[in-house]
Amino acid sequence: MTSLDVIGRSHREAPVLRYDPNRDELAALLDGEPRYRVDQVWAGIHERGEEIDDLTNLPKALRARLTDELPLALTPEVESISDDGATVKWLWRLHDGHKIETVLMHYDDRTTVCVSSQAGCAMACGFCATGQSGFDRHLSVGEIVEQIVRARRQSAPRRVSNIVFMGMGEPFANYDRTWAAVERINKDLGIGARHITISTVGVVPGIERLAEEDLPVNLAVSLHVANDRDRDELVPLNKRYPLDRLHEACRRYLDAKNRRLSFEWALIDGVNDRDSDVDELADYARSLRAHINLIPLNPTPGYLTRGTPLDRVYAFRDALNDRGANATVRRTRGTEIDAACGQLRASRQLVDPPKRR
Ligand code: SAH
């Protein structure tokens, strides 16, 4: 039996990646070593985010073995810097060739990492670059956690303070691995639950499970439309979990957690920026005391309708605030380098088309 078999996977299946094992699994992998090695390795790669070779408290042979048996998950395909260094975006290649994105964003008062939870996405929202190209597979815990470790290294000496699950994929379609990653991010990478936000398109069972968890993370729901007829069109999952069920789940989460809920609303010209949208959204959000993030739509190759012009974005915000809803405008980062919302991968695929499966 090799040490990899101990944690329940064979060489033929997906490899065990550096941040996949939990502490017990790492201990099994280090069976035969002194007990304190587990703490040394665990703290070294998580709390300090070091490369195995820099763990100089380990014997050289053990470092070589760990480097070999616990390979890194992410190979940089593109690393692009924009906004005068305030935004760094990676397109990573995974061991099986799939691509995912991670973004590091520095603001005056915080530094945020936006992570992916899946390669691709099955939710098929028409305006979203990831949705347009379909689902590849779930990410493992290690593939999620490593995105943050790698971004944190780049960010130093600025500390990463916030994590948002707003990269590729639907986190609640990959609930167990996403949640295991959240716990690791909180306990071992030291980022407070109140600084972690999970964004969902409205997977009601996921919201219900979140309400039962111990860690009070923030919930963001990608609403985009607040009537069922139009939302069925724009966000196909609405047919399965319509707005009244979504409302109930959000209410349950609020009652359980007493955390602020936010709604994301990508403003699309003539589609969801009408007077009727203001009324519907204000009613829906007010009844849940939700904060509304308005995002001017980022253009994507597969969706030709343009974003709402900026002056109307601000007018839409003002109209919501006049109706007693709490709305702000979020300007997207990295648009000049195709770095918003899955575009890096989408634009690379135009150059280098993927093989059809
Ligand atoms: N699947 C999750 C998280 C990933 S998307 C969710 O839907 O919430 C993160 C956010 O980016 C979502 O609010 C999504 O609707 C938004 N988004 C996707 N494509 C966009 C685009 N082209 N312009 C603006 N926002 C977009």
Side-chain angles (χ1 to χ4, degrees), residues 121 123 125 127-129 165-171 199-202 220-224 264-266 295-300 330 332 341 343:
C121 185
M123 297 297 130
C125 304
F127 58 90
C128 171
F165 282 81
M166 294 185 184
M168 291 181 165
E170 167 50 48
S199 179
T200 177
V201 72
V221 174
S222 298
L223 195 64
H224 304 308
E264 290 156 283
W265 192 280
I295 318 159
L297 182 81
N298 290 303
T300 55
R330 186 203 289 158
T332 45
C341 299
Q343 290 171 17

Coordinates of all heavy atoms in Angstrom, one line a residue, residues 121 123 125 127-129 165-171 199-202 220-224 264-266 295-300 330 332 341 343, ligand 1:
C121 N -19.7 25.9 -15.4 CA -20.9 26.0 -14.6 C -22.1 25.5 -15.4 O -22.1 25.6 -16.6 CB -21.1 27.5 -14.3 SG -22.5 27.8 -13.1
M123 N -25.2 26.3 -14.7 CA -26.4 27.1 -14.4 C -27.0 27.8 -15.7 O -28.1 28.2 -15.7 CB -26.2 28.0 -13.3 CG -25.9 27.4 -12.0 SD -27.3 26.3 -11.4 CE -26.5 24.8 -11.0
C125 N -26.8 30.7 -17.1 CA -27.3 32.1 -17.2 C -26.7 32.7 -18.5 O -25.5 32.7 -18.7 CB -26.8 32.9 -16.0 SG -27.3 32.2 -14.4
F127 N -26.1 35.6 -19.8 CA -25.2 36.8 -19.9 C -23.9 36.5 -19.3 O -23.0 37.4 -19.3 CB -25.9 38.0 -19.1 CG -26.2 37.6 -17.7 CD1 -25.3 37.9 -16.7 CD2 -27.4 37.0 -17.3 CE1 -25.5 37.5 -15.4 CE2 -27.7 36.7 -16.0 CZ -26.7 36.9 -15.1
C128 N -23.7 35.3 -18.7 CA -22.4 35.0 -18.0 C -21.5 34.2 -18.8 O -21.9 33.2 -19.4 CB -22.8 34.2 -16.7 SG -21.4 33.6 -15.8
A129 N -20.2 34.6 -18.9 CA -19.3 34.0 -19.8 C -19.1 32.5 -19.4 O -19.0 31.6 -20.2 CB -17.9 34.7 -19.7
F165 N -16.8 34.0 -3.0 CA -17.0 32.9 -4.0 C -17.8 33.4 -5.1 O -19.0 33.1 -5.3 CB -17.7 31.7 -3.3 CG -16.8 30.9 -2.4 CD1 -16.5 31.3 -1.2 CD2 -16.2 29.7 -2.9 CE1 -15.6 30.5 -0.4 CE2 -15.4 28.9 -2.2 CZ -15.0 29.3 -0.9
M166 N -17.2 34.2 -6.0 CA -17.9 34.8 -7.1 C -17.1 34.6 -8.4 O -17.3 35.3 -9.4 CB -18.0 36.4 -6.9 CG -18.9 36.7 -5.7 SD -19.2 38.5 -5.6 CE -20.2 38.5 -4.1
G167 N -16.2 33.6 -8.4 CA -15.5 33.3 -9.6 C -16.3 32.3 -10.4 O -17.6 32.4 -10.4
M168 N -15.7 31.4 -11.1 CA -16.4 30.4 -11.9 C -17.2 29.4 -11.0 O -16.7 29.0 -10.0 CB -15.5 29.6 -12.8 CG -14.9 30.5 -13.8 SD -13.8 29.4 -14.8 CE -13.6 30.5 -16.2
G169 N -18.4 29.1 -11.5 CA -19.1 28.0 -10.9 C -20.2 28.4 -9.9 O -20.2 29.6 -9.5
E170 N -21.0 27.4 -9.6 CA -22.1 27.6 -8.6 C -21.6 26.9 -7.3 O -21.7 25.7 -7.2 CB -23.4 27.1 -9.1 CG -24.5 27.0 -8.1 CD -24.7 28.3 -7.3 OE1 -24.8 29.4 -7.9 OE2 -24.8 28.1 -6.1
P171 N -21.2 27.7 -6.3 CA -20.7 27.0 -5.0 C -21.7 26.0 -4.4 O -21.2 25.0 -3.9 CB -20.5 28.2 -4.1 CG -20.6 29.5 -4.9 CD -21.2 29.1 -6.2
S199 N -21.6 33.4 -3.0 CA -22.6 33.9 -3.9 C -23.3 32.8 -4.6 O -22.6 31.9 -5.2 CB -21.9 34.9 -4.9 OG -22.8 35.4 -5.8
T200 N -24.6 32.8 -4.6 CA -25.3 31.7 -5.3 C -26.4 32.3 -6.3 O -26.9 33.4 -6.0 CB -26.1 30.8 -4.3 OG1 -26.8 29.8 -5.0 CG2 -27.0 31.6 -3.4
V201 N -26.6 31.5 -7.3 CA -27.7 32.0 -8.2 C -29.1 31.7 -7.7 O -30.1 32.2 -8.2 CB -27.4 31.3 -9.6 CG1 -27.8 29.8 -9.5 CG2 -28.1 31.9 -10.7
G202 N -29.1 31.0 -6.5 CA -30.4 30.8 -5.9 C -30.7 29.3 -5.7 O -31.9 28.9 -5.8
A220 N -24.7 36.1 -0.6 CA -25.1 37.0 -1.7 C -25.9 36.1 -2.7 O -25.6 35.0 -3.0 CB -23.8 37.5 -2.4
V221 N -27.0 36.7 -3.2 CA -27.8 36.0 -4.1 C -27.9 36.8 -5.4 O -28.1 38.0 -5.4 CB -29.3 35.8 -3.6 CG1 -30.2 35.2 -4.6 CG2 -29.2 34.9 -2.3
S222 N -27.6 36.1 -6.5 CA -27.6 36.7 -7.8 C -29.0 36.8 -8.3 O -29.5 35.8 -8.9 CB -26.7 36.0 -8.8 OG -25.4 36.0 -8.3
L223 N -29.7 37.9 -8.0 CA -31.1 38.0 -8.3 C -31.4 38.3 -9.8 O -32.0 37.6 -10.5 CB -31.7 39.0 -7.3 CG -33.2 38.9 -7.2 CD1 -33.8 37.6 -6.6 CD2 -33.7 40.1 -6.3
H224 N -30.9 39.5 -10.2 CA -31.0 40.0 -11.5 C -32.4 40.3 -12.1 O -32.5 41.2 -12.9 CB -30.3 39.1 -12.5 CG -28.8 38.8 -12.2 ND1 -27.9 39.7 -11.9 CD2 -28.2 37.6 -12.0 CE1 -26.8 39.1 -11.6 NE2 -26.9 37.8 -11.7
E264 N -27.3 40.6 -5.9 CA -26.5 41.1 -7.0 C -27.4 41.3 -8.2 O -28.3 40.5 -8.5 CB -25.4 40.2 -7.4 CG -24.3 40.2 -6.3 CD -23.5 38.9 -6.3 OE1 -24.0 37.9 -5.8 OE2 -22.4 38.9 -6.8
W265 N -27.2 42.4 -8.9 CA -28.1 42.7 -10.1 C -27.2 43.3 -11.2 O -26.8 44.4 -11.0 CB -29.1 43.7 -9.6 CG -30.3 44.0 -10.4 CD1 -30.3 44.8 -11.5 CD2 -31.7 43.5 -10.3 NE1 -31.6 44.9 -12.1 CE2 -32.4 44.1 -11.3 CE3 -32.3 42.7 -9.4 CZ2 -33.8 43.8 -11.5 CZ3 -33.6 42.4 -9.5 CH2 -34.4 43.0 -10.5
A266 N -27.0 42.5 -12.2 CA -26.2 42.9 -13.3 C -27.1 43.7 -14.3 O -28.1 43.1 -14.8 CB -25.5 41.8 -14.1
I295 N -24.4 46.0 -10.6 CA -23.2 45.7 -11.4 C -23.4 46.1 -12.9 O -24.3 45.4 -13.5 CB -22.7 44.3 -11.3 CG1 -22.9 43.7 -9.9 CG2 -21.3 44.1 -11.9 CD1 -22.9 42.2 -9.8
P296 N -22.8 47.1 -13.4 CA -23.0 47.3 -14.9 C -22.6 46.0 -15.6 O -21.5 45.5 -15.3 CB -22.1 48.5 -15.2 CG -21.8 49.1 -13.9 CD -21.9 48.0 -12.8
L297 N -23.4 45.5 -16.5 CA -23.1 44.2 -17.2 C -21.7 44.3 -17.9 O -21.4 45.3 -18.6 CB -24.2 43.9 -18.2 CG -24.0 42.6 -19.0 CD1 -24.5 41.4 -18.1 CD2 -24.7 42.6 -20.3
N298 N -20.9 43.3 -17.7 CA -19.7 43.2 -18.5 C -20.0 42.5 -19.8 O -20.7 41.4 -19.8 CB -18.7 42.3 -17.8 CG -18.1 42.9 -16.5 OD1 -17.5 44.0 -16.6 ND2 -18.3 42.3 -15.4
P299 N -19.6 43.1 -20.9 CA -19.9 42.4 -22.2 C -19.2 41.0 -22.2 O -18.1 40.9 -21.8 CB -19.3 43.4 -23.2 CG -18.4 44.3 -22.5 CD -18.8 44.3 -21.0
T300 N -19.9 40.0 -22.8 CA -19.3 38.7 -23.0 C -19.6 38.3 -24.4 O -20.5 38.8 -25.0 CB -20.0 37.7 -22.0 OG1 -21.4 37.7 -22.3 CG2 -19.7 38.0 -20.6
R330 N -21.5 48.7 -7.9 CA -20.1 48.0 -7.8 C -19.5 48.1 -9.2 O -20.0 47.6 -10.2 CB -20.3 46.6 -7.4 CG -18.9 45.9 -7.2 CD -19.0 44.4 -7.3 NE -19.7 43.8 -6.2 CZ -20.2 42.6 -6.3 NH1 -20.1 41.9 -7.5 NH2 -20.8 42.0 -5.3
T332 N -16.8 47.1 -11.8 CA -16.0 45.9 -12.0 C -14.5 46.2 -12.2 O -14.2 47.3 -12.8 CB -16.5 45.0 -13.1 OG1 -16.7 45.8 -14.2 CG2 -17.7 44.2 -12.7
C341 N -15.3 38.4 -14.8 CA -16.4 37.4 -15.0 C -16.1 36.4 -16.1 O -16.9 36.2 -17.0 CB -17.7 38.1 -15.3 SG -18.3 39.1 -14.0
Q343 N -14.1 36.1 -18.4 CA -13.7 36.5 -19.8 C -12.3 36.1 -20.2 O -12.0 36.0 -21.4 CB -13.8 38.0 -19.9 CG -15.2 38.5 -19.9 CD -15.3 40.0 -19.8 OE1 -14.3 40.7 -20.1 NE2 -16.4 40.5 -19.4
Ligands
SAH1 N1 -22.8 31.1 -9.5 C1 -22.6 32.1 -8.5 C2 -21.3 32.7 -8.3 C3 -20.5 33.1 -9.6 S1 -20.9 34.5 -10.5 C4 -23.7 33.2 -8.7 O1 -24.4 33.1 -9.7 O2 -23.8 34.0 -7.8 C5 -20.6 35.9 -9.6 C6 -21.5 37.1 -9.9 O3 -21.1 37.7 -11.2 C7 -22.9 36.7 -10.0 O4 -23.7 37.7 -9.4 C8 -23.2 36.7 -11.5 O5 -24.5 36.9 -11.8 C9 -22.3 37.9 -12.0 N2 -22.0 37.9 -13.4 C10 -21.9 36.9 -14.2 N3 -21.7 37.3 -15.5 C11 -21.7 38.7 -15.5 C12 -21.6 39.7 -16.4 N4 -21.4 39.4 -17.7 N5 -21.6 41.0 -16.0 C13 -21.8 41.3 -14.7 N6 -22.0 40.4 -13.7 C14 -21.9 39.1 -14.1

